[in-house]
Amino acid sequence: MRPLLLGVLGCSLLLAVQALYSSDDDVVELNPSNFNREVIQSDSLWLVEFYAPWCGHCRNLVPDWKKAATALKGVVKVGAVDADQHKSLGGQYGVRGFPTIKVFGANKNKPEEYQGGRSSQAIVDGALSALRSLVKERLSGGSSGSGYNKQQQSTGGSKKDVVELTDDNFDQMVLEGDEVWMVEFFAPWCGHCKNLEPEWAAAATAVKEQTKGKVRLGAVDATVHQGVSGRYGIRGFPTIKIFRKGEEPEDYQGGRTRADIIERALDLFSDNAPAPELLEILNEDVIKTTCEDSQLCVIAVLPHILDTGAEGRNGYLEVMMKMADKYKKKMWGWLWTEAGAQLELEASLGIGGFGYPAMAAINTRKMKYALLRGSFSETGIHEFLRELSVGRGSTATFGGGAMPKIYSVDAWDGKDGQLPVEEEYDLSDVELDDDLGKEEL
């Protein structure tokens, strides 16, 4: 009985830690199911906190966030999203750290980052300032931020990113293409289809950007294009099907909000995406193009080829490639260099001269980095990256606050290293004096 009681108590404590806000608070709990209805389609100004239950700064913010919500009740809406549980919502709005506060004002689909203080008074002041700006914009004839057409005009989503599919182009685009497709079969008179339209359009824009066109959203008017609709047995509207090249179509069973659709699309993308390419740092362009488009770049500094040989180096690279595949959903960049090839990079990371192999994860936007402290193994690297991915890793700032100079080097040829050939000298013509260097005592 005692172990059972302790187990129940432990679960209760865990739930208490995770639930930062409750229905008794004036803070509205938001999730993928209610976010669009409560925030996006609302005419109210919203302050939304994206948090993680394990985040110390988030827990410290709770009393001030609640107090501000009570003070702003009836004036400005205050909400909170558990972005650790609802990653799709956090990802949709570019949340990278916790807590992140966004202001959803006139353009609900492009919220502004809240940059003010974290006290209740500062939050209230920031909210009222944003509210004044919203009122001034409305007085000057600006958008109120609600309604599908206005959302479309504010670039939150565009019908042009939903591909119009027909009996004529369906096979070529969907079945023969390399992309993964989510296809909506609709009828113009269908009320549920009309409700889905803005969600589908907004999701199409986000998915196009986040998957670089590898997952696409399309739509078929089943009342016009009855050939393709009949082929897949469409009986009700809207029906959504998932198409992968060479596979039978799959029924989409998820929610109908943009967040639900985006989350499923990103899962499809990661499931079908190849592992990221592991590149050697040969010049500045390699590190620039790889790291600028990634949230993190994982960089390994491997021992000199004379210390490991080709077999040893390939062993390290194999470990990295396995981890790149394991974390491919993150869409990070993966790079490596030989010890001594990029000395300024090593120095800026505090690696220089010893401790190889070494690894760092860098964020070039924030000029921050974290070092692998454990073993250079699948287990050690997994623990390192897992901690970073949930915001628990220890980070430091690049020396000088900028990327160091990257030198152009030759690519590794895949072979064992060779010692440099020493120059030989012919001493046959040199006369040596046997008494040279001798001194009389």
Side-chain angles (χ1 to χ4, degrees):
M1 183 64 183
R2 182 177 176 81
L4 177 61
L5 180 61
L6 288 174
V8 172
L9 179 60
C11 291
S12 300
L13 288 173
L14 180 60
L15 289 172
V17 169
Q18 290 180 337
L20 297 190
Y21 302 98
S22 72
S23 56
D24 294 331
D25 301 319
D26 292 315
V27 177
V28 181
E29 293 183 88
L30 299 167
N31 55 57
S33 298
N34 68 3
F35 195 90
N36 184 63
R37 181 182 70 252
E38 294 284 350
V39 180
I40 303 301
Q41 295 180 358
S42 167
D43 285 329
S44 300
L45 179 82
W46 276 83
L47 260 64
V48 178
E49 174 204 3
F50 294 84
Y51 72 90
W54 45 258
C55 162
H57 293 300
C58 301
R59 290 197 292 270
N60 292 337
L61 179 61
V62 169
D64 285 289
W65 197 246
K66 289 181 179 179
K67 190 174 180 180
T70 301
L72 292 167
K73 190 173 182 179
V75 180
V76 172
K77 296 288 188 71
V78 176
V81 175
D82 182 345
D84 191 48
Q85 180 181 357
H86 306 298
K87 293 182 174 63
S88 60
L89 266 182
Q92 184 178 343
Y93 294 106
V95 175
R96 296 287 181 265
F98 305 115
T100 292
I101 300 173
K102 300 271 185 179
V103 181
F104 290 79
N107 186 346
K108 292 292 178 59
N109 292 291
K110 294 187 72 175
E112 298 178 1
E113 195 92 9
Y114 171 77
Q115 303 289 359
R118 300 301 171 92
S119 68
S120 57
Q121 185 61 59
I123 294 166
V124 169
D125 290 342
L128 295 178
S129 177
L131 186 60
R132 282 193 293 271
S133 298
L134 176 62
V135 171
K136 286 181 181 179
E137 185 172 343
R138 289 178 179 175
L139 278 172
S140 62
S143 168
S144 65
S146 64
Y148 169 56
N149 291 330
K150 291 172 182 175
Q151 289 180 27
Q152 294 271 2
Q153 294 165 8
S154 66
T155 72
S158 174
K159 286 185 179 180
K160 67 180 177 60
D161 292 322
V162 177
V163 180
E164 185 180 352
L165 298 169
T166 67
D167 285 337
D168 294 330
N169 69 8
F170 190 92
D171 286 6
Q172 181 182 359
M173 297 196 73
V174 178
L175 303 184
E176 298 170 14
D178 293 325
E179 302 88 355
V180 178
W181 283 83
M182 297 179 71
V183 179
E184 175 204 2
F185 295 84
F186 72 93
W189 45 259
C190 161
H192 293 300
C193 301
K194 292 176 182 177
N195 292 336
L196 178 61
E197 185 179 37
E199 302 301 299
W200 198 249
T205 300
V207 169
K208 179 181 178 181
E209 293 173 355
Q210 295 184 45
T211 70
K212 296 180 172 61
K214 299 298 184 182
V215 179
R216 306 187 73 179
L217 269 62
V220 176
D221 184 341
T223 64
V224 175
H225 306 288
Q226 298 180 9
V228 68
S229 302
R231 188 196 314 175
Y232 295 109
I234 306 302
R235 296 288 181 269
F237 306 111
T239 293
I240 301 173
K241 288 187 176 286
I242 296 167
F243 293 83
R244 300 180 180 89
K245 188 174 183 180
E247 299 182 19
E248 288 296 312
E250 168 191 342
D251 286 332
Y252 171 75
Q253 304 288 359
R256 300 299 173 90
T257 69
R258 68 191 69 186
D260 293 323
I261 298 163
I262 292 168
E263 183 173 23
R264 183 69 177 107
L266 293 180
D267 284 341
L268 290 169
F269 172 69
S270 61
D271 290 343
N272 291 273
E277 192 175 4
L278 176 58
L279 301 174
E280 183 180 3
I281 301 175
L282 302 178
N283 51 53
E284 188 175 358
D285 286 342
V286 171
I287 198 167
K288 188 174 182 181
T289 55
T290 303
C291 296
E292 276 190 350
D293 293 334
S294 304
Q295 180 190 357
L296 286 180
C297 255
V298 181
I299 299 178
V301 182
L302 302 182
H304 195 280
I305 191 64
L306 293 176
D307 294 328
T308 63
E311 184 178 356
R313 175 169 290 181
N314 283 324
Y316 290 131
L317 294 176
E318 184 179 352
V319 169
M320 286 194 72
M321 286 187 285
K322 286 182 179 179
M323 300 314 297
D325 184 59
K326 187 179 187 69
Y327 282 88
K328 66 181 181 180
K329 286 186 179 182
K330 302 291 186 181
M331 292 183 279
W332 293 339
W334 292 78
L335 301 168
W336 71 276
T337 185
E338 181 179 76
Q342 302 293 345
L343 288 174
E344 291 192 24
L345 176 62
E346 290 186 42
S348 67
L349 296 173
I351 294 173
F354 62 92
Y356 306 116
M359 176 176 284
I362 69 172
N363 184 323
T364 56
R365 297 170 190 169
K366 296 183 178 179
M367 286 296 121
K368 297 277 190 180
Y369 71 91
L371 290 178
L372 170 69
R373 302 296 182 185
S375 63
F376 197 100
S377 63
E378 290 183 46
T379 301
I381 295 172
H382 170 61
E383 287 299 313
F384 169 59
L385 297 177
R386 185 174 64 84
E387 291 291 298
L388 282 180
S389 65
V390 296
R392 295 179 185 171
S394 175
T395 61
T397 303
F398 268 96
M403 282 296 293
K405 179 176 176 59
I406 301 297
Y407 296 92
S408 294
V409 297
D410 294 329
W412 177 46
D413 59 9
K415 300 177 182 178
D416 287 327
Q418 293 185 358
L419 290 169
V421 178
E422 296 183 3
E423 187 176 350
E424 297 183 357
Y425 297 94
D426 184 3
L427 302 178
S428 61
D429 294 334
V430 178
E431 295 183 5
L432 299 176
D433 187 342
D434 290 340
D435 295 330
L436 186 64
K438 292 182 179 180
E439 296 181 0
E440 290 187 2
L441 295 177

